[in-house]
Structure formats: structure tokens, C-alpha cells
Amino acid sequence: MSTLAVYRNIYTEEQFQKVYGTAKDLERPPLTLKEKLARSCKCSTHSFHTLLKHRIPIVGWLPRYKLKKWILGDLIAGLTVGIVHIPQGMAFALLTSVAPVYGLYTSFFPVLLYMLLGTGHHVSTGTFAVLSLMTGSVIDEHLFENPLHRNLTSEEQSEIYAQRIGMAAAIAFLMGLIMVIMFVLQLGFLSTYLSEPIVKAFTNAAAFHVTVSQIQNMMGLPLPRPTGSFAIFKTLASVFRAAHMTNVAELIISILCLAVLIPIKELNVRFRTKLRTPIPGEIIMVLVATGITFASSLDNRYNVQIVGSIPAGFPTPKLPALDIIPNVIGDTIAITFVGYAVSVSLAMIYAEKHRYSIDPNQELLAHGISNMVSSLFHCFPSSATLATTNILESAGGHTQLSGFFTSCVVLVVLMWVGPLFNYLPKAVLACINVVSLRQMFLQFQELPELWKISKTDFSVWVVTWLAVVILNVEMGLAVGVVFSMMTVVCRTQRAQCSVLGRAINTEIYRPIEQNDKNKRLHKALTPICHTGPYLSKLSNSRTVFVDHQTLAFISYPALKK
């Protein structure tokens, strides 16, 4: 049997350095500025293709598309989401204080652009209730001298709507510009400051703002939308004072609409595993209400507010009114952070569920360009949406190609079907707004579990919710972020310090206690952290070690009794 012997010389550190040199001797000299610029300007064919796939993801995934396996799911999911986009787009346009047709535009262009640039396979973009509410609040605050009333002529309403969509498009353009700048600076990590308790509490409280703001539309009350702090209470007070002016016809329409939409929503949720596609309750209600209003002339006989003229085709591209940007930059930054945090959170949730990865910085570029380009076509701010993303995934969508079919549905409405919705009552759109918030209201069910897991996160949730409800949306979000950061600072300053010991003949560690139980631990103690680790028990069999400097969680089995 052959053997192989290997002999090596034994060196001391000093002898080794004499023969082979030190680590500094092996280091390469730093590159000069000229060399760095020359290296950065070089681009091979492989590097170009890699960059193209990163910046335009459709170039990477479309050639690998599994046509027979994925096309049916993407087709059904895209058509289903497109049908939902039509009523929700018009409804969320009312929240933005613009004409309903601009909601259709916002449901078309961002969807198409995200399909080209986005990395989330199951993300549906378009109009989002929270962003629409925040944008509408900014518009009402700056254009309060030109409110929308029932007694205005169609020409006066058109002029006011033009001013409002000009400001909304400017906010969308600025929002996209901020996102692109954040992408260039690689600031995608900033979304981590909006933790999960903050985002959920914020969206839940914003849902209350949306619901209260739609009461006047459901009751047919000619009231302006209050702005600033205590907006919810101001709205409720004005509704109670003007209750005697309720339009009975619009109130009946709202009651009947809610009586139909709420059970359909519950059926879709309860039988989501058995239904191939959700029941399109919103579009059914839109078609039925439009037909009844047209046949019965409810707008003339009972003064029911209708959507009005919806022009066919696309608007002429136009640069937004950039001169108003200095007046709205502070509010737009808050809108940008909310839109990006919600979009990335949704993308990460479904990416983890379906075992693929997303690029947070590429998401910045995708949503940034979507908003900038869409603003040229009179669109208001857009982002990923909770309801349609959930529908897209549950309907069997596989890739971003479903966005193409969604855009096709909206395109048909914009080109040919849109004018048929002229007689759609605005009360129906208000009901669609309220019913679409069901998922946000259900977040209350998570509070008991959150209390058991972390009382600190529970307090962040409650403080953020109260701040958003009592104050306004933007101020409440700022309060929630500041309070969350304060809790982190307090926990790091008041961290508990423990010494861990290793049990005999094991790799098991647990805190050393000054009692007779120490006899079961190895005499040689192994300190884990000298600056104050925070120890907490999650169950009888697991102990979690948290290093407050890195916020990393290291779990290990607890020592049995």
C-alpha cells in the first residue's frame, strides 16, 4: 500500500515574516484617482448585460418565462386585478380631491412601468388609499380657497379640478425624484426606520381618516374636507351639524351598496381557497348603479352627485407645475417614505412566501421612475397596494407579466368604456373606499399577540395609532417614528448585564444565578458580552440572547432542570 508523507518546516512568527514578508508587504498600493476613474469607465459585454438585468429586470426574467406553466395564472390574476382597479381607481381619486378619470390614468401607467423595472413578482401597483388621502389633504390645505361645491357649474368644476390635478401631479413628480435620488445614494435601508408596528398602526389609523372623510359623500352632504390636526373630530362635528341636509337618495344608495359589498368581501375571504377568482363585487355594483342612475335620471330628479364626463383616450403629456414644489416638499417627503415602506414591505412578504429575493434599492428606482413618468400624464402618487396585491397572489399570479394584462383591462376602459361611467353616483365610490379598507381594520386582531411578544412594540403601535387619529396623518407618522427611536435608545441605555456559564460537557449556556443551581454549571465561566446584553425567555425550552449593539438574535437551548 503506497503512502504519501508531507514535510513542512516549522516557523516562528519572526522567521515566517523574514521569508514571506508581513501582511503590509503583501498589500497592493492604493489606486490613484486616475486609475479609479479608468477602472470605473471600463465595461465589458458581460458587465453590460449584468447591469441591464439589474436595472431593467424584465430583460432577465422574460427570456426564462415558463409559458405553459405560468401564462394562465398571470392572465387570470391580471384580468381580475384590472377589474378591481377600475372602481378603486375612480374611488381613490375622490380621496385625492381630483376627478375620477385621473384614478384610471394612475391605474394604468404605474402598473406598466413597474412590470418593466420592479423586482416583486406578486406586487400590484396603482392607487393606494393612504397615499391618496395624504395627497388629498395636502391639496385641500393649499387650495382651500377653491373648494368643490355642488352648486358650481361644470366649467368652474373643470377649472378647479385642473388646479388640483396639477398639484397632485407635481407631488407625484417630486415623490419620484426623491426616490431616484435615494436610489443613487443607495438609501433603501431608510425604510427600516418604519418598523412593522409603525406601518400597521399608521395604515390602520389612516383607514379611520379615509372612512370618516367618506361619510359626507355617502350622506350627500355638501361639506368641505377639514385639514390639519383633529381633522377626524372636525369632520364628525360638521356632519352632525349638517345631518338635516342629508340627501335621502344618496343615503339609500350607500346603505344598499354597503349591504351588497360587505357580504361579497366576506365570501371572497372565507372561500378564497375554493374560488378561482374573487367575486368582482365592486365592478358589478358600479355597472348596476350606473345603469339605474341613467335609467331613472337620479341626478336630475333627486340631485344625486354623479362622476360626470370621463373623456376617452389619454391626456396629452405635460410637465407638472413645478413652481409649487417648494410649498409641498415637506409633505411629499412623508408621502414618499410611506409609499416606499408599504411597497417594500409587501414585496418582501410575498418574496419570502414564494422563495425569491427582491432588491430594495431597485424598488426605489422602479417606483421613482413610475411616479415621475406617470406625473407627465396627470397621475397622482402611486405605490404598491394591499388589496390588489393580495388578490393578485391569491388568483394565481406568478410574475410581473400579470401587470401587462391588468394594464390591458384599464386601457379598454380608458379608450372605449370610460364614457359609460358618466352616471356613476359618487356615493358608490365612497362605499367602495370604505369597504376596501377591511384588511386594515382587521389589524386590531393582532394586538393581543403583539402584547404577548413585545410590550414595547405594542406601545409603539398604540402611540402611533393615537397620534395619527388625533393629529393628522403626516404629524402622526413623525410622532410614531420618533417614539420608536426613543424606545430603542432607552432599551440600549438600560440594558441588563448577565454573565453566562457553560454546563459541564455541553455547549449549553445560561445566566449564572447566585444560588445552589450554580453547582450544575462549569466552574470556568464564559462571558458573552461586557456591555450589557438583554436576555429574555420566550418559552420554557428556549432562551434568546440579544446584542443591543447589532440587534442580532442568537438562540440556544436552555438548560433542563
Side-chain angles (χ1 to χ4, degrees):
M1 183 175 179
S2 60
T3 58
L4 176 64
V6 178
Y7 298 95
R8 293 192 180 100
N9 294 328
I10 300 176
Y11 297 97
T12 63
E13 183 177 0
E14 184 178 356
Q15 292 171 341
F16 184 86
Q17 291 178 356
K18 286 182 179 181
V19 177
Y20 297 101
T22 62
K24 292 183 178 180
D25 297 333
L26 299 177
E27 291 180 357
R28 295 180 179 179
L31 297 175
T32 63
L33 179 60
K34 183 178 180 180
E35 291 173 338
K36 290 181 180 179
L37 292 175
R39 177 173 294 185
S40 62
C41 293
K42 291 181 180 180
C43 182
S44 63
T45 304
H46 176 72
S47 299
F48 175 76
H49 283 295
T50 302
L51 180 64
L52 191 64
K53 291 179 181 179
H54 285 165
R55 297 296 164 250
I56 308 179
I58 191 174
V59 177
W61 61 261
L62 190 58
R64 303 193 307 268
Y65 189 84
K66 300 177 182 178
L67 187 64
K68 295 182 180 180
K69 184 177 180 181
W70 293 343
I71 187 63
L72 182 61
D74 284 341
L75 176 63
I76 294 176
L79 296 178
T80 304
V81 171
I83 292 172
V84 175
H85 264 309
I86 296 166
Q88 282 196 358
M90 292 189 291
F92 292 162
L94 294 183
L95 288 178
T96 319
S97 299
V98 298
V101 67
Y102 298 115
L104 296 178
Y105 298 151
T106 311
S107 299
F108 176 78
F109 291 103
V111 176
L112 205 58
L113 291 167
Y114 185 83
M115 180 191 70
L116 302 175
L117 302 172
T119 59
H121 300 176
H122 301 84
V123 173
S124 174
T125 58
T127 56
F128 183 42
V130 176
L131 290 191
S132 297
L133 176 66
M134 296 177 72
T135 306
S137 300
V138 175
I139 293 173
D140 290 339
E141 183 179 354
H142 289 83
L143 298 179
F144 64 92
E145 69 277 3
N146 292 327
L148 286 166
H149 294 300
R150 288 171 174 256
N151 299 327
L152 295 176
T153 63
S154 58
E155 292 79 9
E156 291 173 336
Q157 286 187 356
S158 299
E159 183 179 354
I160 293 176
Y161 274 134
Q163 294 177 355
R164 289 171 175 267
I165 192 57
M167 176 171 284
I171 294 174
F173 182 86
L174 180 58
M175 175 180 175
L177 181 62
I178 293 173
M179 285 187 171
V180 171
I181 293 174
M182 291 173 64
F183 162 76
V184 173
L185 299 177
Q186 299 291 288
L187 298 180
F189 68 90
L190 290 179
S191 63
T192 57
Y193 287 101
L194 295 177
S195 61
E196 184 177 355
I198 293 178
V199 173
K200 289 188 175 182
F202 171 78
T203 54
N204 185 289
F208 276 87
H209 280 273
V210 174
T211 302
V212 173
S213 68
Q214 296 305 293
I215 293 177
Q216 58 197 48
N217 290 326
M218 290 189 291
M219 297 176 64
L221 298 175
L223 300 174
R225 182 192 299 177
T227 59
S229 301
F230 311 104
I232 286 182
F233 308 102
K234 293 177 183 177
T235 302
L236 292 175
S238 61
V239 167
F240 280 120
R241 287 195 297 266
H244 63 282
M245 301 170 60
T246 300
N247 187 311
V248 179
E250 293 191 63
L251 180 61
I252 293 175
I253 291 174
S254 300
I255 294 174
L256 293 176
C257 187
L258 292 175
V260 173
L261 290 178
I262 292 177
I264 290 178
K265 281 285 185 182
E266 294 299 324
L267 287 175
N268 285 335
V269 174
R270 181 165 297 184
F271 299 102
R272 60 179 300 181
T273 57
K274 299 180 180 179
L275 294 173
R276 177 61 178 170
T277 59
I279 302 173
E282 291 89 348
I283 194 66
I284 293 174
M285 181 56 60
V286 165
L287 294 174
V288 172
T290 302
I292 293 176
T293 304
F294 174 75
S296 304
S297 299
L298 297 180
D299 55 324
N300 295 324
R301 296 174 60 183
Y302 300 103
N303 196 26
V304 172
Q305 283 289 95
I306 59 175
V307 168
S309 176
I310 297 181
F314 292 101
T316 304
K318 179 183 177 182
L319 194 67
L322 302 181
D323 56 318
I324 66 174
I325 284 181
N327 300 328
V328 298
I329 187 170
D331 298 310
T332 305
I333 291 175
I335 294 174
T336 302
F337 270 90
V338 172
Y340 176 63
V342 172
S343 301
V344 172
S345 299
L346 281 176
M348 287 183 173
I349 289 172
Y350 288 100
E352 182 178 358
K353 181 177 180 180
H354 294 274
R355 298 181 181 179
Y356 63 88
S357 60
I358 66 164
D359 184 354
N361 285 300
Q362 178 63 25
E363 291 294 297
L364 275 173
L365 180 65
H367 289 288
I369 292 181
S370 295
N371 279 281
M372 289 184 68
V373 175
S374 300
S375 67
L376 304 179
F377 295 91
H378 300 186
C379 296
F380 48 86
S382 63
S383 69
T385 63
L386 295 173
T388 54
T389 298
N390 186 31
I391 292 174
L392 178 66
E393 192 266 344
S394 60
H398 296 285
T399 67
Q400 295 94 312
L401 190 64
S402 58
F404 171 76
F405 301 111
T406 299
S407 300
C408 289
V409 174
V410 181
L411 177 63
V412 170
V413 175
L414 285 172
M415 298 301 296
W416 298 286
V417 185
L420 299 179
F421 295 131
N422 291 356
Y423 289 90
L424 174 63
K426 289 186 177 180
V428 175
L429 296 180
C431 294
I432 292 174
N433 273 330
V434 173
V435 174
S436 66
L437 302 173
R438 173 189 178 279
Q439 189 175 0
M440 298 184 190
F441 285 125
L442 290 179
Q443 292 173 354
F444 278 119
Q445 298 177 354
E446 302 176 6
L447 287 180
E449 187 66 23
L450 184 62
W451 172 263
K452 296 177 182 178
I453 295 174
S454 174
K455 293 178 175 56
T456 302
D457 288 343
F458 179 87
S459 64
V460 170
W461 199 103
V462 172
V463 169
T464 303
W465 188 89
L466 290 174
V468 174
V469 169
I470 296 175
L471 303 176
N472 55 29
V473 177
E474 296 83 1
M475 186 63 68
L477 177 62
V479 170
V481 172
V482 172
F483 181 78
S484 177
M485 296 177 67
M486 288 176 60
T487 60
V488 174
V489 173
C490 292
R491 279 182 285 180
T492 57
Q493 295 300 316
R494 301 184 60 183
Q496 299 176 3
C497 184
S498 301
V499 178
L500 304 186
R502 183 166 62 87
I504 300 175
N505 298 326
T506 69
E507 293 298 328
I508 299 176
Y509 293 84
R510 68 174 302 169
I512 301 299
E513 299 177 2
Q514 299 300 323
N515 51 36
D516 294 337
K517 294 181 181 180
N518 291 344
K519 297 179 181 179
R520 303 176 59 190
L521 301 177
H522 196 276
K523 294 183 179 180
L525 302 182
T526 305
I528 301 300
C529 180
H530 295 287
T531 57
Y534 175 79
L535 293 163
S536 62
K537 283 192 176 182
L538 296 183
S539 66
N540 293 330
S541 60
R542 303 289 289 178
T543 304
V544 174
F545 166 76
V546 182
D547 183 351
H548 74 270
Q549 293 178 333
T550 61
L551 297 181
F553 292 80
I554 307 170
S555 61
Y556 56 92
L559 191 64
K560 295 182 180 180
K561 294 184 179 180

